[in-house]
Amino acid sequence: MMLLIVIYLLFILILLLMVAFLVLLERKVLGLVQIRKGPNIVGIYGIVQTVVDGVKLILKNLMVLVNVRKFFFLLAPILSFILSLINWFFIPTPFILVNSEYGILITLVISSLLVYSTLWAGWGSN
């Protein structure tokens, strides 16, 4: 059981690293195309810029306006994030996260529920 948890955490770590390097590649290409100083010039091979952007997003102040429905305004991004993470359990991988015959159907159901988080975000912001 413990080995399975370690494998899951390793899989998530590999996915996060892949996303970080894809963001780096995208920024390098856009910096070259737009002929501007981007991660191809700034920082240590551009690796630091993705980390700095992540820290900036974490440290940003949460700004909640006065005339919003706070419950929906704060719950919508959380619901969207949680449903997106749950959706990963049913995507076929080399090792099976959830053994289900209805994996594709469950993925479609969870994806259709993501619409509600978008609606709640719009409705909550007035």
Side-chain angles (χ1 to χ4, degrees), residues 63-125:
M63 187 170 60
V64 179
L65 301 174
V66 176
N67 59 349
V68 297
R69 295 178 178 92
K70 288 186 173 108
F71 177 75
F72 293 111
F73 187 76
L74 296 174
L75 185 69
I78 294 169
L79 178 70
S80 176
F81 180 71
I82 289 173
L83 287 175
S84 297
L85 284 180
I86 291 173
N87 215 1
W88 278 97
F89 286 118
F90 299 101
I91 295 175
T93 56
F95 50 90
I96 300 171
L97 293 174
V98 175
N99 192 5
S100 175
E101 297 176 0
Y102 305 108
I104 295 174
L105 181 64
I106 294 171
T107 301
L108 290 173
V109 167
I110 292 172
S111 298
S112 65
L113 288 175
L114 283 168
V115 174
Y116 289 111
S117 64
T118 307
L119 290 174
W120 285 2
W123 190 48
S125 66

Side-chain angles (χ1 to χ4, degrees), residues 17-55:
L17 286 173
M18 285 177 23
V19 168
F21 281 114
L22 285 174
V23 167
L24 177 66
L25 177 70
E26 175 193 19
R27 288 182 177 199
K28 282 186 178 267
V29 169
L30 289 176
L32 289 171
V33 168
Q34 297 172 0
I35 310 172
R36 62 176 170 80
K37 286 187 179 180
N40 59 339
I41 298 173
V42 181
I44 306 168
Y45 301 112
I47 296 173
V48 180
Q49 189 160 358
T50 304
V51 175
V52 170
D53 283 343
V55 171

